[in-house]
Amino acid sequence: MTAAEIFGLCGAALVGVGVYGLVIAPEPLRKLLAFNLLGGGIFLLFGAVARRGAGAGLGGDPVPQALVITGLVVAVAATALAVALLLRLFEASGDVSLRNDPPPAPEPES
Amino acid sequence: MSLLADLLTIVGVGAGAFFFLAGTVGLLRFPDTLTRLHALTKADNLGLGLIVLGLLPRAGLSGGLKLIVIWALVLLASSSASQLIARVAHRGERER
Amino acid sequence: MSLLFDIVLSLIVVALAVRVIVAEDGFAAVVSFAAYGLLVALAWVRLYAADVSLTEVAISGGLAGMLLIGAASRLRAIDARAAAQRSGRGVRLFAALLSCGVAGGLGLAVLALPDPAPSLAEAAVANLPPTGVGNPVTAVLMAFRATDTLLETVVVVLALVGVWSLAPDRLWGGRPGAREHADPNGPLAFLARVLPPIGVVVAVYLLWAGASEPGGAFQGGAILAATWLLVIMAGLSDAPATHGHGLRWLLVAGPLLFLAVGFAGIWLADAFLAYPTDWAKALIVAVEVAKLLSVAAALGLLLLGPPRRIDTP
Amino acid sequence: MNGFLLFAGSLVLAFVALGLRRVLRGPGDADRMMAVLLLGSGGIAALLLQGVATGMPGVIDVALSLALLAAFASIAFAKAAERAPDEAPGETS
């Protein structure tokens, strides 16, 4: 076993956990976290590939590493947008259910 | 000289790891939020300080300075953060 | 010996990820997620990707943690109601099978990666001298794949426009968030006075070190953004009004300068986003400085959320 | 010697993992927030041991950033708890 393989498998497991959470979690915030776990798993897979591509005196291939940096910043921007949407929905309706059935009557905000 | 430095590293890092163990034991054994917070912040920051001390002879001059700055920052941040957390916990307990 | 470290670390990371999904309330899930992010930063160090690790620390340790903890405590009121809608047994079984399939397939792919691994490391190092920077990751971000980075800075601004457009019409251009107040002698105000100078120094240092060692504009920008938010949360400074021209120019300065340098490359160096050899390092550092400020402003405002109040004169 | 440093790093990580198990169980939010504090000091210790043992450039800078940002999640937590004084944030759920 090498570090690349261990963290590659860890990334694969994270993708699995993320997919599971994305399907079963009832709360949108939890789905958002699950989506981030899924993305984090993919980033770790990139990291494993980068580590295997070590050469030329570098510990890892810089191209996938740079792609992961770009991906992390885009992921946090998207997460912030999603959280803002979620809070706005909560303010407007008092609920953030993603179900199709009609939501319970909105409660007055405290 | 290098033997002395190695000895300092072993003693410092070993003692640091021991304090992390102590902090964890405190977390597992102490009965309520405030005492657990106490165990965590005191023991772990002392452990980090000892580890920094042990690593100093191996880090060079600018690296060693950075290590000391890191420890100072952690002390500052974790003492203030634990104060903030303790206030929240304390208020929660009073309201119950 | 280091394999032991890797295995322990991987197991904790996966266990925390599982906790994020199964934790009983949203707040517990969010805290587990923050802990997971900090540990993934350790994993990046083990994968010899210190640049990525710095980004992960700045983003999940600083920004994402603050964002999600705030959101979880505001959404607490509906936690119980959401928990009542838990998926049925059939759905859970299906999801478990699906995720096992996906994870198993990816795991097999990881174990069956081609040997010797394809790598661009040699090419990146060979083409390093014309860019003038010593850190190959910075060279990839700013020169070899500069289009990605340019579009990414645009994406961050677009996400901010999306967040702002959630405000009702009458609040457009107002200030985000509530006016914060804190005990001027409390620990929060103390931290907000002591940490910002250190944060600014670290951000500038990371930007400067990024030319030759791990670091760069995103890492510095994220730290600068977190520092700015600390000052606002402690009530020492108010969030800026989003209609300000200065603020809006600051937000687009990074992408604009990047684009301008890119177009200048067409006749100075024969290609879009190419740098003339003699000027490459100076241009890269100039774009990085502008990007640092724009990314910091955009990330900070993203976390503050849509405008909520208009100044009453 | 480097093997010793890496072993100490694994040990610290294992202790931190045990502590994490305890604090994430709660019962209150304040207990859970300790997870971030715990990783602040424990994660930095593991990083420093790694960085000095392998001599990889930049690892100390990662620890420096982590030290700077260690308090931020707790600050967000304290502000959020202040904003919602009607719920008892110490020992809910």
Side-chain angles (χ1 to χ4, degrees), chain C residues 110-217:
Chain C
V110 166
L111 295 178
L113 282 174
D115 215 18
S119 171
L120 291 168
E122 305 273 357
V125 170
N127 288 298
L128 213 47
T131 64
V133 294
N135 178 1
V137 177
T138 304
V140 172
L141 280 174
M142 296 304 297
F144 309 150
R145 291 205 57 92
T147 341
D148 292 354
T149 314
L150 171 63
L151 289 176
E152 177 205 8
T153 52
V154 176
V155 163
V156 175
V157 175
L158 281 181
L160 180 61
V161 172
V163 168
W164 280 0
S165 58
L166 293 175
D169 275 353
R170 64 192 163 80
L171 295 180
W172 176 256
R175 293 174 193 271
R179 179 83 172 97
E180 301 284 1
H181 295 284
D183 173 11
N185 296 318
L188 181 54
F190 170 70
L191 266 186
R193 287 196 182 93
V194 176
L195 279 187
I198 308 173
V200 172
V201 170
V202 172
V204 173
Y205 165 72
L206 284 181
L207 175 75
W208 185 249
S212 54
E213 276 174 64

Side-chain angles (χ1 to χ4, degrees), chain C residues 5 24 53 75 81 84 118 145 157 159 185 195 220 222 256 261 289 294:
Chain C
F5 189 87
E24 54 272 37
S53 184
L75 292 173
R81 200 185 307 157
R145 291 205 57 92
V157 175
N185 296 318
L195 279 187
L256 274 187
V261 169
V289 170
S294 291

